[in-house]
Amino acid sequence: MNHVDAMEAPAVRDGQIKLHGREGFEGMRKAGRLAAECLDMLFERVRPGATTQELDKAAFEFITDHGALPATLGYRGYRHSLCTSINHVVCHGIPGPKPLRDGDIVNIDVTAIVDGWHGDTSRMYAVGTINRRAERLINVTYEALMRGIAAVRPGNTVGDIGHAIQTHAEGERCSVVRDFCGHGLGRLFHDAPNILHFGRPGDGEGLCPGMFFTIEPMINLGKPGVKVLSDGWTAVTRDRMLTAQFEHSIGVTETGHEIFTTSPQGLHRPPCS
C-alpha cells in the first residue's frame, strides 16, 4: 500500500496499533497458511504461455473451495483475487490475458480471509529460464525481507526493520522503493502500523508482543522511483528496470516473531523455478 492509502484506508481503521492474544495468533496461522498454500498451488502453473488471468481464476477457485475469501476481490473496486506484477511492475499489477514469456519474473500477491483473519503474502516466480541479473535481484530481495524479519522482536522499532532491509539492498547496489510500505493487519486488511522498508535504528513505533503486520520490501535493480499507471493500480519503475518483492505476515511474540505465511512445501524462498 502507498502512504496515502495507509492514511486513508477504510473508515474502520482507527490509527491505533492493536495487540492480539492467543485467538489472534491461531486465526492468523490459519489465514496465513491458506494464503501460502494458494501460492504453492500456483507454482507449477507459472510457466511460459500461461496467463495471469488463468492464475487469478485458479487462485479464486482454490481460496473459495477452502471456505475462504480473497481479500482483494471488490476491495476499492479491484476485480481480481491476485495482484500479478511482471518484470518492471513494482506492485498491484492487474491479471490479464497476455501470456507469460520465458525469462519473465513475476510477483504474485494474495490475501486470504479465513474466519475474519487476513493472511497476506507474496513471492517471486521465475517463468522458464531467467537471466542472472533477475536471479540476483530475487535473491537480494528475499534476503532483505529475511533481514527485516530478523529485526522483529520486542524492544526493537519499525525503524530497525527498515534499516535492516535498506542496508542490505543498498549494499548490493540495489534500491528500495519508498512509495509503498507494509502495514498492520488482522481482522482488518490494512491497519496500523505502517512498516517502511527504509529507516534508521530506533526510529518509529516500538514493537510489542501481539502486533501483527506485513513486511513486503520492493527492491529495484535501478533507481527507486515509481509511477502509477492510468488504471489507478499498476505501479512501475520509472526507469523500467527490473523490480522484485517478497512479503510475509508477521506476529510479534514475547521472545521474537512468528511468520504466518511460510510455505508448507518450502516454496517461499528462492530458487523460484
Side-chain angles (χ1 to χ4, degrees), residues 33-48:
R33 182 181 178 90
L34 183 63
E37 289 174 343
C38 180
L39 294 185
D40 286 356
M41 176 273 298
L42 294 174
F43 183 80
E44 296 295 336
R45 298 171 184 257
V46 178
R47 59 186 182 273

Side-chain angles (χ1 to χ4, degrees), residues 4-33:
V4 174
D5 286 345
M7 300 312 296
E8 295 182 352
V12 288
R13 172 180 168 143
D14 57 13
Q16 299 298 312
I17 296 174
K18 298 170 181 60
L19 302 181
H20 303 272
R22 179 180 299 177
E23 177 188 358
F25 275 86
E26 291 175 352
M28 289 296 290
R29 288 181 192 120
K30 292 178 182 177
R33 182 181 178 90

Side-chain angles (χ1 to χ4, degrees), residues 98-145:
K98 184 178 179 179
L100 295 169
R101 299 178 299 176
D102 186 71
D104 285 342
I105 60 173
V106 56
N107 175 272
I108 301 180
D109 190 340
V110 66
T111 304
I113 307 174
V114 179
D115 298 329
W117 296 96
H118 292 72
D120 189 359
T121 185
S122 81
R123 68 181 78 145
M124 296 302 298
Y125 297 77
V127 183
T129 302
I130 63 175
N131 64 40
R132 293 184 66 180
R133 294 183 74 208
E135 183 178 7
R136 176 177 172 273
L137 174 63
I138 288 171
N139 288 330
V140 168
T141 305
Y142 180 75
E143 180 63 21
L145 168 69

Side-chain angles (χ1 to χ4, degrees), residues 42-266:
L42 294 174
F43 183 80
E44 296 295 336
R45 298 171 184 257
V46 178
R47 59 186 182 273
T51 70
T52 51
Q53 188 172 272
E54 293 167 348
L55 301 178
D56 186 68
K57 182 175 184 292
F60 172 79
E61 292 174 350
F62 181 88
I63 292 171
T64 55
D65 285 351
H66 284 80
L69 295 172
T72 57
L73 187 60
Y75 182 77
R76 297 188 174 186
Y78 193 75
R79 299 179 179 180
H80 304 276
S81 301
L82 299 176
C83 293
T84 51
S85 303
I86 304 168
N87 295 333
H88 70 290
V89 178
V90 176
C91 60
H92 304 158
I94 301 173
K98 184 178 179 179
L100 295 169
R101 299 178 299 176
D102 186 71
D104 285 342
I105 60 173
V106 56
N107 175 272
I108 301 180
D109 190 340
V110 66
T111 304
I113 307 174
V114 179
D115 298 329
W117 296 96
H118 292 72
D120 189 359
T121 185
S122 81
R123 68 181 78 145
M124 296 302 298
Y125 297 77
V127 183
T129 302
I130 63 175
N131 64 40
R132 293 184 66 180
R133 294 183 74 208
E135 183 178 7
R136 176 177 172 273
L137 174 63
I138 288 171
N139 288 330
V140 168
T141 305
Y142 180 75
E143 180 63 21
L145 168 69
M146 297 313 294
R147 291 191 183 205
I149 291 174
V152 178
R153 57 183 177 272
N156 274 5
T157 69
V158 297
D160 294 316
I161 298 171
H163 179 73
I165 292 167
Q166 180 182 6
T167 300
H168 178 69
E170 294 180 353
E172 294 291 336
R173 304 184 305 281
C174 296
S175 63
V176 180
V177 171
R178 300 186 176 217
D179 297 68
F180 298 91
C181 60
H183 53 88
L185 82 170
R187 292 207 172 269
L188 294 180
F189 191 0
H190 296 109
D191 205 354
N194 296 336
I195 305 296
L196 304 183
H197 303 120
F198 59 93
R200 296 183 299 182
D203 279 1
E205 295 93 340
L207 304 180
C208 301
M211 292 172 65
F212 297 160
F213 48 79
T214 69
I215 303 177
E216 47 185 294
M218 289 143 272
I219 307 299
N220 296 348
L221 270 183
K223 296 179 180 179
V226 307
K227 63 179 180 180
V228 176
L229 301 185
S230 59
D231 60 28
W233 290 101
T234 308
V236 301
T237 56
R238 286 189 175 272
D239 57 14
R240 297 188 66 84
M241 294 286 282
L242 287 180
T243 183
Q245 180 187 24
F246 284 89
E247 175 184 15
H248 274 312
S249 295
I250 309 294
V252 184
T253 67
E254 295 289 341
T255 58
H257 60 265
E258 179 176 346
I259 302 174
F260 298 124
T261 45
T262 300
S263 161
Q265 298 183 43

